[in-house]
Every structure is written in structure tokens, then in C-alpha cells.
Amino acid sequence: MSHLLFDAKLTEALRMDGDLPRVPVNRLQRKAQEQNVNYLSINNENSLASISDGNSPRSAKSAHSGSFIDYKSPGRGKSPARNKTPGLVAPKLSVRGAGQKTPGRKTPGRKTPTTPFNQQDRFIPNRSTTDLERSHQLLVNNMEASGGEKNSEEDVLTLQEKEYREKMTENLNDGQQPDTRILSFKNKAPQGKEGHVNNLKVLYSAGKPMVPKAASTRHIPNVPEKVLDAPELVDDYYLHLLDWSTNNHLAVALNSSVYIWNGGDGAITALTQLVDPDYICSLSWIKEGNVLGIGLSSGVTQLWDVAQQKLIRTMDGHQNRVTTLSWNAYILSSGSRSGHIFNHDVRVAQHHVSTLQGHTQEVCGLKWSPDGRLLASGGNDNQVNIWEKGSTTPLHTFTEHQAAVKAVSWCPWQNNLLSTGGGTADRTIRLWNCTTGICLKDVATNSQVSSIVWSSHYKELVSGHGFSNNQLTIWKYPTMAKVADLTGHTGRVLELCVSPDGEMVVSAAADETIRIWKCWAVDKKDKKQADSSKGHPISMFARTIR
Amino acid sequence: MAGNKQGTQNSITLKGSAQLVTEFFNFGINSILYQRGIYPPESFTYQQQYGLTLFTTTDEKVKEYLNNILEQIKDWLEAGEVQRLVLVVTNVDTEETLERWDFDIQHESGFEPGSLKEGKMGTKDLKIIQKEMRDVIRQITACVTFLPLLDCVCSFDLKVYTNQNAEVSDKWADSAPCFIANSQEVRLKSFSTSIHKVEACVSYKADV
């Protein structure tokens, strides 16, 4: 009879713990309990506890919870103590347990995360990435599932083993199902190009507050005056493939040939065609507009008489392609991929008069100041150097740009005012006072700056941009407020030039078109005045070359 | 083999379905590589697919890598061994996982790997399937708007979750799942070929 009573009590005790299956205790388990077998397992401690305190179902349950703690943290000193005095602890616990549906489950859940830190000697080197909550949940589920099953010695051992294995797989697979393999191909995909700048950066900064807009004082047509086709225009940021002469000749380099577009009558003449592997890297008109300098990929610089369509002179010296040219009277400066800048005196046989070494990488922007006193050079090493005429050490070195500086332009009406623009990683326009070497202004444009030109009539400058809008932006000096955006190009703008009358800006872009924008139209009255006061320029080159 | 799906209307064989899913993976992975800027945009060419202009890589090494993997995936799809394909984007310098594009592959009921031997066919219009695929790819494209910028040199890796007993050549190795600690997860649309169902999901580092 008493045997049956005990059985009933035990069943009830088990039932109180909500998550346990509501089945009578297995016969084998019961046997083990009756025999008071002292196994290693928690389940046996569990049953021992329930027997030793078997009078009250509540205390039996609390012993359950205690044993769970035991099981989860065998290394702790607290739990065994609790087990030793189940009679004392049990009532306390049972009060709390009465309010909670599954006290046994919650307690270990709260405690487990702390265990790994106390157990430094475990086989798991780092558990910070392990989802302990989940592993515990799995463990508890497993225990509950097997809780009602037979409790033979074998089972006990496998349970521990199971725990070990499960933890192992949990840690190795990071919570994956054990029957899954994660495979990856041994030959990995190549990594992105070093120095490749994620284009999206431009988009991410595009939402930033824009520069102030200048009040409009005149009409600026937002469509180009003229669109010229430029097939095979090389889409290379570092090259200078467009220049407009004072004789109203627009020179364009399309891969290996040079074409001259006459701005007056629209006639196009082909000037030269190179032999195949060579291509043209830079063009520059002499101030007088009768001689065109051409920099080639082979490192050679050619001088062409455009009226005669004749090659006047070939100057070599550079080991690498000549990416940029700039004239200062009879001096032609050329920048090369090697980072050297050569000054050629085109009048004399020994044309190579000096070398300027200041850049460690390709020189991509080069401009003499209008007064011919200073030379500004921008390089792929993110530097801008200012050179005084005749000196071979830079007067100033500006390192503020974060990307290649291609856009270099002097202000025509204010001495020593230089504007520079940085590439994709930089996207700023900076204005410099080159007497003092102070940065007067920096403007974030949110896009690659490929070229800058200044107006001679207005206090304005135009910059050409790349991704994402491929626009030309007109800025007011000195506020650097935005006057207008000229959009239309579908590829990045590569180069800008001003027409000889200063009213138009021409842009060459990667979409293989050349567009002419009449953004600086001048009132006819003003123009007449300006013309009469100017007089005819005397060609210094013409005077000195023959 | 792929011709079957077009030959008879509204019937898709397992092979055809595997072909379709593999094709989708090709375009999906290429789209991710392009949209996330993992390789420079110059190395991509465009092509019309699913009524969209999609970018595919022209880099020979990347192409070879993708072809190798997709071919194997196709075989596994036919054998019903793949559970999941994961594209992991990692920072080359720190080897930290930055993004995880997860394509969970399930078999529609009635098309479990074991029960497919009798030549059972799916009945779904190819146009509807492609429309669903298009929607997923559109969503991949749209993800650029909320994913954080990958402002470093990145590489990608493909991880294939297979059954334990799948046939694996020695070109493959077991690997870690590369989870992102403290990640944000965005579930994308799913598509079904009536044999395979693919659910897409992207997770990324939340704390930036």
C-alpha cells in the first residue's frame, strides 16, 4: 500500500513540473530510485532528492530545480550544498516555485552564461560567439525528452556524451544542424583590386547638406549649344585630350589620332594618326594658337604646326607616357607617369633644360600661372606642388587632397589664386593662395573632380564631375555657392576648356561626346568695351622661334 | 536537358528546375558583386535577363570561380543535396564578415529528393517563375539603399550547405559559417520553380 502511495506522490511531483511529460515514472527508473543507486548522473541525484524529501511534492519539485542547476554547473560549490540540506532549502524554493510555472528551467537559464568564465580549463577556447541561450534550450529540451525515459547506466553515460557532443557541434558549427556540411570551394575568388575605391561612396555622401545656392543673375542655358561626337575618346582620368586655342581651334585626341575642329566654320581636319600601339595622352596649344604640343604614350612630345599640318619637332626624354603639357612662352613643361616634370626649351637643340622631381606617381595636372611665374602640378600621389620658374624644388607642397589631383587651374584675374580638385576618394575643390600657401576654401562636391576652368568675365569657375551625375557645376567665387549644374553627359566628364572668347565651356566626357555650353554669355556692350581695350597680343613665340 | 522546360508547356523537370535555380544564382551573385562594388564596375558587362539589364563580370578569374561552383551546385540540386547557398563578403584586411547573403533552398512538398525518381514534373509557367526571380533580383539591387557602405577592399566567398552524405570532390573543403556578430537581417522575396523554393535573406553588421 505504502508503495503505491509513494508511487502516486512521485508521479504528482513529476507532474508539477509543467514541462515534463505526464507519464508515470518508468519502471526501471522507479527501480533505480528504490534501490538508491548512486549514479553519477543528475537524473539519479534528481530521483534521490525526491526520495529523501519525498513527503512533500513541492519540495520534491524544488529538489528538481536544484538538481538541474547541479547538472548545468557541476563545478560550482553552491549547488551541492543545497543538495545536502534539501529539507532546509526546499520550503524557500517552493514558495518561489509556486509562482513560476517552470522554475527548474528558468534557474539554470539565468546561470549558465556565467559558467564559461568560471571554467577556464574547458576545451572551448572562446565562447563569446556561441549562442549559449540556444544551446541551453536544446540541452534542456533533450533532458526533458529523456527525463521520463529509462535511466540505465548506459543512458546516463550517453547523456553526458551527448552533452559533450552537442556542445562540440554547437561550437564548431555555430548552432547549425549537425547533419549539415558547410562547404566552400578551395580556390577562392580573387579579391577586389587594391586601391579600387567603391563608387558607392559617392552615393552615400550625396545626401549630405549641399553647398548654398547662389542667387541667379543671368540666364544659363541648361542644354549644350553644340554636341560633337567623339568616338574612341579614351576614358582615362589621367589624360588631357582636349584643348581650345586662341585661334578658335579645338584640338581633340581620339585614341591615336588628333582632330582639329574649327570653331568658326565647324570644319574638321585630321592632324595626325599615330602608329598603332601608341595613343595620345595630352594636348596643349601654345598661347599664340599656331603650335600644338602632343604628348604620346611612348614618352615622346611632338610639336605640330597646325596651319601647315606639319610636325615641327619631336622631343623625347620621358620613360613613360606624357600625360600632361603646359606652355609658358617658349618653355613647354611635360608631366609623365614616372612622376617627373621636364621643362623643354623649344627654341634650342638641347631642349631638355630642367627636371622637376616632386611627385612619386603619375603627374596628372600641370598648369603655368597666367603671369608665367609659377607652375602648379598635381599628381596621383595626392600632392599638389607649386614650383617657381627656374627653381627645381617646390615652393609649396599641398597634401590636403585625399586622391589624385587632376584638376589644376589658375585664376586669370587674381594673381596666385589656384584651384585644385581631387579624384573619387577626395571629391573636394580647394582654393589656394600660392603666395602664402594657405588653403582659402575647400568645398565638398560629392563627386570626382576631373577639371576646373575659370571664367574671365565673371567671378566664377566651372568644375567637371564624374559619377554619379556626370555634371558640370558653376561656382561663384569667393563664396563658392553653386550657380548651376549642367547635366547631360552620360559618362564622367574628363576635361573642360574655355573658348577663346571666354563665353563657352567645352566638355569632353566618357560617353564619347563633346558638348559646348554657353554658360558665360557676355552682354554685347560689355564685350565691345573689353575688346577695344585689349588690343592685339604680340606673339612672343613667333618673334623668338625664327 | 534544359530544353525540356520549354518543350512541353507548364512542366518542369527536376533538371530544368536545377538549371533555372543555377541560372538565377549566377545572375543574383553577379548582381550582388556589381551592386555592392566588390569589383570595379569597369569589369562588368551588361546583359538582358528576366526583363532587366543585369551586370555580369568579365573578370576571367571570377568567372571561372563562379562557373566551377555553379556547375557543382547544379549537380547537387539535381541530387537534392543542397540546403543553402551563402555569399559572404569579408574585409580583406581584417577578415571580418561584413555581409551575408543567404539563399535557403527548400524542396516543395511532393518533390522531396527521395520521391522524385518517378519523373514527376512541376507545373508552373516559366514566365511566372522568371517574374518571381526578377522581383528577387530587383530587391537585391534595391538593398544598396540601406546596406552600409563597404569602404574597404573586400572579397567574397560562397558557402554551400549540403547534406552530410553529399558527394564532394576534393576541390571543396569544410568551412566556418562566417556569421556576423550583432547582425541586422532583412528578409527578401522568395521564388519557387514548383520544385525548388529559394528564400533570400541578407544580413549585415548593424553597428556602424
Side-chain angles (χ1 to χ4, degrees):
Chain A
M1 210 45 203
S2 65
H3 168 78
L4 281 173
L5 191 72
F6 172 69
D7 202 16
K9 271 187 178 170
L10 191 69
T11 323
E12 201 193 341
L14 286 166
R15 192 179 296 149
M16 282 291 284
D17 198 332
D19 281 7
L20 285 174
R22 301 191 169 199
V23 287
V25 183
N26 196 298
R27 185 180 290 162
L28 272 169
Q29 193 182 4
R30 221 187 306 138
K31 228 178 203 172
Q33 286 161 358
E34 282 164 14
Q35 284 164 5
N36 262 1
V37 189
N38 199 2
Y39 290 137
L40 283 167
S41 114
I42 38 104
N43 284 33
N44 293 68
E45 277 173 23
N46 195 351
S47 35
L48 269 173
S50 29
I51 293 158
S52 61
D53 202 40
N55 294 333
S56 126
R58 275 183 180 175
S59 60
K61 190 186 68 188
S62 65
H64 256 288
S65 64
S67 65
F68 272 117
I69 297 165
D70 243 1
Y71 176 57
K72 282 308 294 174
S73 55
R76 291 176 141 232
K78 205 180 163 190
S79 322
R82 193 181 277 172
N83 260 8
K84 270 176 199 163
T85 55
L88 273 172
V89 185
K92 238 202 221 157
L93 278 171
S94 65
V95 175
R96 199 176 59 184
Q100 289 171 346
K101 211 180 169 189
T102 54
R105 243 179 104 193
K106 283 205 172 167
T107 333
R110 239 183 285 128
K111 297 200 173 174
T112 19
T114 61
T115 40
F117 302 108
N118 297 339
Q119 297 170 345
Q120 296 295 332
D121 57 334
R122 295 296 294 268
F123 51 84
I124 305 142
N126 179 13
R127 298 177 78 165
S128 63
T129 54
T130 317
D131 190 354
L132 284 166
E133 290 287 335
R134 186 166 177 268
S135 41
H136 174 252
Q137 165 72 15
L138 285 172
L139 262 172
V140 168
N141 280 351
N142 218 336
M143 276 174 53
E144 277 167 0
S146 61
E149 284 165 22
K150 49 188 157 186
N151 257 337
S152 69
E153 204 163 353
E154 260 187 351
D155 237 26
V156 166
L157 284 172
T158 49
L159 201 73
Q160 282 187 323
E161 249 170 60
K162 249 190 204 168
E163 181 207 14
Y164 174 79
R165 267 187 211 155
E166 222 164 86
K167 283 204 167 165
M168 246 345 224
T169 44
E170 288 283 341
N171 280 292
L172 289 173
N173 288 351
D174 242 340
Q176 271 311 307
Q177 290 146 348
D179 61 331
T180 311
R181 284 183 79 178
I182 306 171
L183 298 168
S184 70
F185 208 62
K186 275 182 187 163
N187 298 335
K188 297 291 181 212
Q191 64 185 56
K193 233 197 277 168
E194 199 65 46
H196 143 67
V197 185
N198 198 334
N199 256 340
L200 293 163
K201 194 169 186 172
V202 178
L203 287 182
Y204 279 79
S205 58
K208 284 180 185 161
M210 272 310 297
V211 285
K213 220 171 152 55
S216 67
T217 50
R218 63 177 197 280
H219 170 69
I220 299 169
N222 54 6
V223 286
E225 189 92 342
K226 209 170 217 105
V227 181
L228 304 173
D229 225 11
E232 287 188 71
L233 183 77
V234 182
D235 178 13
D236 187 332
Y237 180 74
Y238 300 105
L239 307 186
H240 297 258
L241 304 175
L242 191 72
D243 202 14
W244 208 334
S245 79
T246 44
N247 292 348
N248 209 4
H249 289 141
L250 181 67
V252 184
L254 304 178
N255 199 8
S256 59
S257 37
V258 178
Y259 292 89
I260 310 285
W261 179 76
N262 189 328
D265 54 11
I268 297 171
T269 44
L271 186 68
T272 173
Q273 167 87 43
L274 299 178
V275 216
D276 212 10
D278 282 0
Y279 56 92
I280 287 149
C281 299
S282 50
L283 294 175
S284 184
W285 287 101
I286 196 168
K287 202 175 169 192
E288 289 72 23
N290 53 353
V291 174
L292 178 68
I294 301 178
L296 306 187
S297 56
S298 57
V300 171
T301 311
Q302 296 181 341
L303 299 182
W304 284 77
D305 184 332
V306 176
Q308 311 275 327
Q309 296 209 15
K310 227 172 88 182
L311 177 65
I312 316 173
R313 185 156 193 189
T314 304
M315 301 184 291
D316 48 12
H318 280 299
Q319 301 297 312
N320 248 311
R321 66 177 190 183
V322 181
T323 43
T324 175
L325 294 170
S326 181
W327 286 91
N328 179 20
Y330 50 83
I331 297 286
L332 176 62
S333 300
S334 62
S336 158
R337 182 170 246 181
S338 60
H340 296 304
I341 300 166
F342 286 2
N343 288 328
H344 308 273
D345 188 333
V346 298
R347 305 168 302 179
V348 295
Q350 288 300 321
H351 59 84
H352 183 185
V353 286
S354 59
T355 306
L356 309 179
Q357 281 177 306
H359 294 280
T360 51
Q361 288 180 43
E362 186 157 19
V363 182
C364 45
L366 194 66
K367 279 278 162 63
W368 278 99
S369 63
D371 61 3
R373 206 173 60 79
L374 296 175
L375 174 69
S377 64
N380 198 27
D381 53 358
N382 310 351
Q383 277 188 18
V384 178
N385 283 330
I386 310 293
W387 312 82
E388 258 179 319
K389 191 182 177 183
S391 162
T392 50
T393 47
L395 178 68
H396 298 294
T397 300
F398 306 136
T399 53
E400 276 80 351
H401 281 292
Q402 303 300 311
V405 185
K406 182 196 181 188
V408 172
S409 181
W410 293 92
C411 175
W413 31 260
Q414 187 168 329
N415 268 347
N416 301 330
L417 175 61
L418 177 75
S419 63
T420 56
T424 315
D426 182 53
R427 312 183 300 278
T428 58
I429 295 176
R430 285 174 184 273
L431 299 178
W432 308 90
N433 180 339
C434 290
T435 321
T436 56
I438 290 170
C439 179
L440 302 169
K441 198 101 183 171
D442 69 296
V443 193
T445 66
N446 294 338
S447 181
Q448 178 183 55
V449 184
S450 52
S451 194
I452 299 175
V453 289
W454 290 80
S455 165
S456 43
H457 304 301
Y458 296 94
K459 292 214 159 186
E460 287 176 358
L461 58 154
V462 171
S463 57
H465 296 278
F467 190 74
S468 59
N469 288 329
N470 309 315
Q471 85 280 23
L472 280 73
T473 305
I474 308 176
W475 308 87
K476 199 94 196 161
Y477 177 83
T479 56
M480 289 308 275
K482 193 184 264 189
V483 179
D485 270 337
L486 303 174
T487 51
H489 278 298
T490 52
R492 61 174 176 183
V493 176
L494 293 167
E495 187 75 31
L496 296 178
C497 291
V498 199
S499 67
D501 61 3
E503 290 191 25
M504 288 181 283
V505 170
V506 61
S507 59
D511 58 0
E512 300 192 340
T513 62
I514 292 170
R515 289 167 201 242
I516 299 171
W517 313 81
K518 194 162 186 166
C519 53
W520 286 325
V522 185
D523 268 350
K524 273 173 190 160
K525 275 184 204 165
D526 295 352
K527 201 184 167 189
K528 264 180 196 164
Q529 278 176 0
D531 275 352
S532 58
S533 64
K534 212 192 270 171
H536 284 288
I538 305 149
S539 165
M540 191 191 273
F541 187 66
R543 237 180 358 190
T544 51
I545 201 165
R546 287 164 221 263
Chain B
M1 37 188 251
N4 288 1
K5 64 175 192 270
Q6 279 132 354
T8 30
Q9 236 197 338
N10 288 7
S11 63
I12 289 174
T13 59
L14 175 65
K15 276 190 169 182
S17 171
Q19 168 93 19
L20 279 176
V21 174
T22 314
E23 193 181 61
F24 165 80
F25 282 148
N26 181 31
F27 286 107
I29 291 165
N30 269 301
S31 292
I32 293 169
L33 296 183
Y34 176 78
Q35 297 294 349
R36 303 302 295 133
I38 292 163
Y39 294 106
E42 303 92 80
S43 70
F44 286 83
T45 180
Y46 53 86
Q47 136 179 28
Q48 288 287 326
Q49 182 73 18
Y50 311 128
L52 294 171
T53 305
L54 296 178
F55 286 86
T56 49
T57 182
T58 53
D59 186 319
E60 284 304 325
K61 279 184 188 162
V62 183
K63 250 171 142 175
E64 194 193 325
Y65 173 77
L66 285 180
N67 286 344
N68 276 332
I69 287 189
L70 291 172
E71 235 164 73
Q72 181 64 68
I73 285 177
K74 201 173 119 194
D75 292 346
W76 278 333
L77 275 170
E78 283 169 15
E81 303 279 23
V82 206
Q83 298 173 355
R84 183 182 287 246
L85 174 70
V86 177
L87 190 157
V88 179
V89 179
T90 42
N91 184 338
V92 167
D93 298 325
T94 62
E95 293 190 350
E96 183 187 17
T97 309
L98 300 173
E99 262 175 50
R100 209 166 178 279
W101 296 80
D102 195 317
F103 297 96
D104 191 22
I105 302 158
Q106 282 157 16
H107 293 270
E108 291 282 0
S109 57
F111 292 96
E112 283 83 7
S115 68
L116 248 168
K117 297 283 179 253
E118 325 99 55
K120 206 174 164 186
M121 287 195 192
T123 52
K124 195 163 181 180
D125 196 354
L126 182 67
K127 275 189 182 150
I128 297 171
I129 298 172
Q130 291 198 333
K131 190 186 160 289
E132 287 179 359
M133 289 179 172
R134 181 172 69 210
D135 290 345
V136 179
I137 293 206
R138 275 206 174 128
Q139 269 199 320
I140 291 174
T141 311
C143 282
V144 177
T145 52
F146 63 81
L147 290 175
L149 174 66
L150 301 172
D151 199 8
C152 55
V153 181
C154 293
S155 68
F156 81 102
D157 196 10
L158 290 170
K159 312 218 175 272
V160 188
Y161 287 47
T162 63
N163 292 341
Q164 196 63 263
N165 49 359
E167 270 183 50
V168 179
S169 76
D170 57 0
K171 285 179 181 172
W172 294 76
D174 285 297
S175 89
C178 290
F179 284 118
I180 305 167
N182 188 18
S183 71
Q184 192 82 35
E185 195 169 293
V186 176
R187 202 149 276 287
L188 305 180
K189 288 189 175 177
S190 63
F191 71 86
S192 164
T193 64
S194 74
I195 295 176
H196 293 108
K197 184 175 162 67
V198 176
E199 283 177 350
C201 160
V202 56
S203 45
Y204 56 96
K205 255 182 81 177
D207 46 354
V208 182

